[in-house]
Amino acid sequence: ALNVCKKQHFLLECRFKNYNFLAINMQAKTPNLWQYAPANSPLPLPEDSVIVTKTAIHYLTRSDEEEVSSDLLNLQDIQQYCSNYTSEGKTIDSILSLEKAELLQDRKPFLLLGELANPFQLNRLNIGPMPIFTIRLENLCRTYADALDSRMINPGIHHVTLARSEGWWEKTHMAMATIGQMKSMITWLNNGRRAGDWKPVKPAEGIIRFENDFQLQSPSMDMLHWDGTT
């Protein structure tokens, strides 16, 4: 087990080019102010759970005192678990309602492995408000796709996919998305085509769990061992 001190959140008020914004750990409060300089990488991504809307990024928190089940969660369980997150006292459904967007009961989990979890990129896609949660992958790892997508930057950005990796763990993101949002994200990955190399699938192996330890680190290089197979 890892013993990790809880991250302290520092609030910093900044003024930049006539914009006032509040940053948590230097993260912007609006999608347009979120850094997007991929350089072949999807970074930077949110460190914790958020709701991204057209004009704001709402940072979500969950009480440490609430019991976390180790049981397998069905769709209704996931929706209920996500509903316990709040932002400055507001529930996720209340924020979505104010944005005239579908509530959690009308949304399904959707893995965001790369730049689709970047608030600036989501804002460019104009797909509407979407809650994003920090999760932990086990026995799976994120890996760059071979091809480069040059629509955003030259020579291009690597999209991210999943690969089997026994014993590995790392953090990534999961959205609670509508069916329309899922279709829009897949269509964008396929360069405007509904059918292409990128398809929505369900992982057939590995473990995906909610992760509230935002300082969780992946295994270090000296912990890795290659079994001789690829």
Side-chain angles (χ1 to χ4, degrees):
L2 297 176
N3 294 320
V4 183
C5 295
K6 293 182 179 179
K7 182 180 293 184
Q8 295 180 347
H9 293 284
F10 297 94
L11 301 182
L12 178 64
E13 291 186 359
C14 305
R15 183 182 298 274
F16 179 70
K17 290 185 178 180
N18 298 323
Y19 287 101
N20 291 325
F21 65 96
L22 182 68
I24 298 181
N25 291 343
M26 300 304 293
Q27 295 182 359
K29 195 175 180 181
T30 67
N32 287 336
L33 293 177
W34 189 279
Q35 181 183 358
Y36 188 73
N40 305 132
S41 167
L43 299 175
L45 302 176
E47 294 183 3
D48 39 20
S49 302
V50 297
I51 299 180
V52 179
T53 71
K54 189 69 175 176
T55 59
I57 302 173
H58 303 271
Y59 293 88
L60 300 171
T61 58
R62 180 181 168 89
S63 172
D64 291 335
E65 298 177 358
E66 296 179 27
E67 182 179 354
V68 178
S69 173
S70 59
D71 297 334
L72 291 176
L73 303 180
N74 59 31
L75 176 58
Q76 289 72 31
D77 294 331
I78 294 173
Q79 292 168 337
Q80 178 60 41
Y81 183 90
C82 293
S83 70
N84 290 321
Y85 283 81
T86 60
S87 176
E88 298 179 349
K90 297 179 181 178
T91 65
I92 291 178
D93 274 349
S94 66
I95 295 173
L96 293 174
S97 179
L98 288 173
E99 296 288 333
K100 296 180 172 55
E102 291 89 339
L103 304 183
L104 282 172
Q105 66 182 16
D106 301 314
R107 295 170 178 265
K108 296 181 179 180
F110 189 81
L111 282 176
L112 304 178
L113 303 176
E115 76 279 9
L116 286 174
N118 183 292
F120 181 85
Q121 172 66 346
L122 283 175
N123 199 33
R124 291 183 74 257
L125 297 182
N126 195 30
I127 60 176
M130 190 163 65
I132 299 174
F133 301 91
T134 304
I135 61 167
R136 171 174 171 166
L137 299 175
E138 296 181 2
N139 298 323
L140 295 168
C141 71
R142 293 181 297 171
T143 183
Y144 288 136
D146 292 334
L148 285 168
D149 185 341
S150 60
R151 288 177 291 165
M152 301 286 294
I153 186 173
N154 284 315
I157 183 172
H158 283 287
H159 296 306
V160 181
T161 186
L162 279 179
R164 178 190 296 119
S165 185
E166 185 177 354
W168 180 263
W169 68 85
E170 66 176 287
K171 292 187 305 179
T172 187
H173 299 88
M174 182 196 79
M176 289 300 287
T178 65
I179 299 298
Q181 288 175 326
M182 295 180 189
K183 291 180 178 179
S184 294
M185 288 185 281
I186 295 297
T187 299
W188 180 79
L189 287 172
N190 284 319
N191 199 8
R193 296 172 296 157
R194 289 194 174 184
D197 296 332
W198 293 88
K199 298 178 176 64
V201 297
K202 295 181 180 179
E205 56 189 279
I207 299 173
I208 300 173
R209 67 175 79 237
F210 285 99
E211 182 55 66
N212 292 315
D213 181 359
F214 302 132
Q215 289 190 337
L216 178 72
Q217 298 296 316
S218 301
S220 60
M221 292 300 294
D222 58 0
M223 297 170 65
L224 302 181
H225 173 71
W226 183 44
D227 60 8
T229 61
T230 58

